[in-house]
């Protein structure tokens, strides 16, 4: 290293150089992403489904244009990748050639925890199928990149695993009584338990495959989604009955994550406690620099309650909107969630990501 300098070398010059090298080293070796359309970065582009976002105006504020992200710009996973010093985790189904050691994205829009959630829209990857693909990655693909199995184990234990799933099990299942009969057979409490029992099994699979640092985000305030409000002809800000269903799930999720951390040695299952933030941004939008917490920014099918209509010009001030389309949020809201999860004390608990990577 010293050969790069012309003598004499001052201490300050050396410290600046060392710091510049350090800043280029990622805080974690990889970011693995699972979930639904909140995190999908293009997997659904390659699946036979109506749930796609690979066209304008999606990606209007994203450097790569319309990639399959269901928003105008970056997702929470994208921001966290940047904060970690990593490239965006590419969609697994788009991989061609060599494997990306900096992480992969298995998320799939319209899917959820239960295998049949969202299947009326087309084929998507539910959480068990996503873990299946990760298992293939760990058992068949990653070993080719590591000479020593212990190196692979260390790599996985230091990687960050980001998950957001469950909302579609309500939006595209439980609350679709004309398509599924789920709500006739389960109360809100028993349905939440059904989901979390299934989710716990997938978390335990991830642990057995080597995952140790896992962040699972709560279900957001689904009662504030334009699509659901329209179905009930609700004129207020939110359908509180639906938000209460999400809270029931989130409370059980918190307990489940604590139990996994205490029983699975060396693990840290972190709660992405963001439901309150999403609700506050709707009810007190000015706190987050928002002006419109109700209307989608893009022009959508079904009078503002569905996906963006292809190629139509969206609103000019997307950064002032909460919703991008009839279901999904704007990059502005995702940035706030990711930032508070990475550095704050109120979203990702009991540890934020900057603390997690040091552990």
């Amino acid at each position: 290293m010293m050969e790069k300098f012309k003598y004499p070398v001052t201490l300050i010059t050396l410290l600046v150089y060392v710091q510049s090298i350090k800043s280029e080293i990622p805080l974690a070796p990889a970011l693995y992403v699972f979930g639904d359309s909140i995190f999908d970065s293009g997997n659904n582009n390659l699946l036979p489904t109506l749930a796609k976002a690979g066209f304008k105006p999606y990606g209007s504020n994203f450097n790569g244009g319309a990639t399959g992200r269901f928003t105008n710009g970056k997702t929470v996973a994208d921001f966290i990748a940047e904060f970690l010093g990593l490239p965006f985790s590419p969609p697994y189904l788009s991989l061609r050639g060599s494997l990306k050691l900096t992480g992969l994205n298995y998320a799939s829009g319209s899917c959820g925890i239960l295998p049949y959630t969202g299947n009326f829209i087309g084929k998507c990857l539910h959480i068990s199928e996503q873990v299946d693909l990760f298992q293939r990655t760990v058992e068949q693909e990653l070993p080719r990149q590591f000479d020593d199995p212990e190196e692979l184990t260390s790599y996985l234990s230091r990687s960050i695993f980001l998950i957001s799933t469950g909302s579609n099990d309500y939006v595209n299942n439980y609350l679709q009584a004309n398509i599924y009969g789920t709500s006739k057979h389960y109360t809100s409490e028993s349905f939440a338990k059904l989901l979390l029992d299934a989710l716990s099994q997938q978390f335990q699979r991830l642990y057995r495959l080597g995952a140790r640092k896992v962040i699972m985000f709560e279900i957001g305030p689904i009662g504030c989604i334009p699509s659901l409000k329209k179905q009930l002809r609700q004129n207020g800000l939110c359908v509180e009955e639906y938000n209460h269903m999400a809270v029931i799930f989130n409370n059980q999720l918190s307990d489940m994550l604590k139990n996994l951390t205490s029983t699975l040695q060396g693990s840290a299952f972190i709660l992405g406690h963001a439901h309150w933030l999403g609700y506050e941004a709707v009810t007190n939008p000015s706190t987050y620099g928002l002006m419109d917490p109700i209307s989608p920014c893009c022009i959508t099918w079904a009078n503002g309650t569905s996906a963006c209509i292809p190629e139509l010009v969206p609103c000019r001030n997307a950064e002032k909107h909460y919703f991008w389309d009839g279901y999904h949020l704007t990059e502005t809201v995702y940035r706030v969630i990711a930032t508070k999860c990475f550095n704050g004390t109120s979203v990702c608990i009991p540890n934020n990501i900057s603390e997690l990577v040091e552990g």
Side-chain angles (χ1 to χ4, degrees):
M1 181 180 72
M2 295 300 294
E3 293 177 358
K4 293 181 179 289
F5 296 101
K6 299 293 185 181
Y7 289 99
V9 177
T10 67
L11 178 59
I12 292 177
T13 302
L14 182 58
L15 288 174
V16 168
Y17 176 76
V18 171
Q19 184 61 39
S20 68
I21 296 298
K22 183 179 179 181
S23 66
E24 295 174 0
I25 300 174
L27 299 177
L31 176 66
Y32 287 95
V33 182
F34 304 79
D36 51 32
S37 55
I38 294 176
F39 284 170
D40 190 348
S41 60
N43 283 308
N44 272 27
N45 288 346
L46 300 164
L47 293 171
T49 175
L50 296 175
K52 294 181 184 290
F55 55 86
K56 296 179 181 179
Y58 291 102
S60 294
N61 303 105
F62 189 75
N63 190 38
T67 59
R69 289 166 169 81
F70 289 77
T71 183
N72 61 308
K74 299 171 187 173
T75 66
V76 169
D78 294 329
F79 282 114
I80 289 176
E82 287 186 339
F83 298 158
L84 289 170
L86 294 168
F88 300 149
S89 302
Y92 179 83
L93 296 184
S94 71
L95 278 185
R96 301 292 182 272
S98 61
L99 190 71
K100 304 297 182 184
L101 288 179
T102 53
L104 293 165
N105 186 316
Y106 303 88
S108 177
S110 79
C111 254
I113 299 168
L114 300 179
Y116 52 89
T117 288
N119 61 8
F120 67 96
I121 300 174
K123 172 59 182 174
C124 57
L125 303 173
H126 55 77
I127 192 66
S128 178
E129 291 176 310
Q130 293 177 35
V131 178
D132 288 344
L133 293 177
F134 178 68
Q135 182 169 351
R136 179 194 300 176
T137 301
V138 171
E139 294 180 350
Q140 300 179 25
E141 297 162 348
L142 282 174
R144 302 171 191 165
Q145 310 295 323
F146 292 88
D147 296 328
D148 185 346
E150 291 185 3
E151 290 180 4
L152 174 56
T153 298
S154 174
Y155 159 86
L156 290 170
S157 69
R158 292 179 292 114
S159 295
I160 300 297
F161 292 76
L162 206 62
I163 303 166
S164 178
T165 189
S167 61
N168 283 328
D169 292 289
Y170 290 90
V171 176
N172 290 335
N173 186 333
Y174 193 75
L175 298 176
Q176 300 291 341
N178 58 329
I179 299 175
Y180 300 102
T182 315
S183 58
K184 299 176 183 178
H185 303 292
Y186 296 93
T187 64
S188 297
E189 289 78 7
S190 62
F191 186 65
K193 185 178 186 305
L194 173 72
L195 295 178
L196 287 160
D197 285 347
L199 185 61
S200 177
Q201 295 301 313
Q202 300 311 314
F203 283 166
Q204 291 176 61
R205 286 183 65 196
L206 286 174
Y207 178 84
R208 290 194 295 271
L209 290 167
R212 293 296 181 268
K213 299 178 179 182
V214 181
I215 300 106
M216 168 67 190
F217 282 92
E218 292 178 330
I219 294 177
I222 56 175
C224 306
I225 295 174
S227 177
L228 294 182
K229 287 166 50 181
K230 186 73 173 182
Q231 289 178 21
L232 295 182
R233 295 184 173 86
Q234 172 76 31
N235 295 321
L237 284 175
C238 302
V239 182
E240 297 302 341
E241 177 187 355
Y242 291 172
N243 284 341
H244 182 62
M245 293 179 185
V247 170
I248 292 172
F249 174 92
N250 293 338
N251 287 342
Q252 292 188 31
L253 172 65
S254 177
D255 292 339
M256 185 258 281
L257 296 177
K258 291 175 183 175
N259 181 61
L260 289 173
T261 300
S262 65
T263 57
L264 299 178
Q265 185 177 6
S267 70
F269 286 86
I270 305 299
L271 176 67
H273 180 50
H275 179 98
W276 68 270
L277 192 157
Y279 187 75
E280 185 177 71
V282 171
T283 55
N284 296 291
S286 60
T287 303
Y288 300 93
L290 302 172
M291 294 179 61
D292 190 337
I294 299 175
S295 307
C297 176
C298 75
I299 302 171
T300 82
W301 302 106
N303 190 26
T305 65
S306 189
C308 301
I309 298 176
E311 303 301 327
L312 294 188
V313 178
C315 68
R316 294 182 178 179
N317 56 342
E319 74 281 358
K320 298 294 184 181
H321 277 249
Y322 182 92
F323 287 103
W324 171 247
D325 61 13
Y327 299 95
H328 306 98
L329 314 186
T330 60
E331 178 187 77
T332 297
V333 183
Y334 290 148
R335 179 188 292 109
V336 173
I337 294 171
T339 302
K340 289 183 177 293
C341 177
F342 197 85
N343 290 316
T345 59
S346 57
V347 170
C348 284
I349 54 178
N351 302 108
N352 62 34
I353 296 178
S354 63
E355 294 168 336
L356 189 62
V357 296
E358 295 176 357

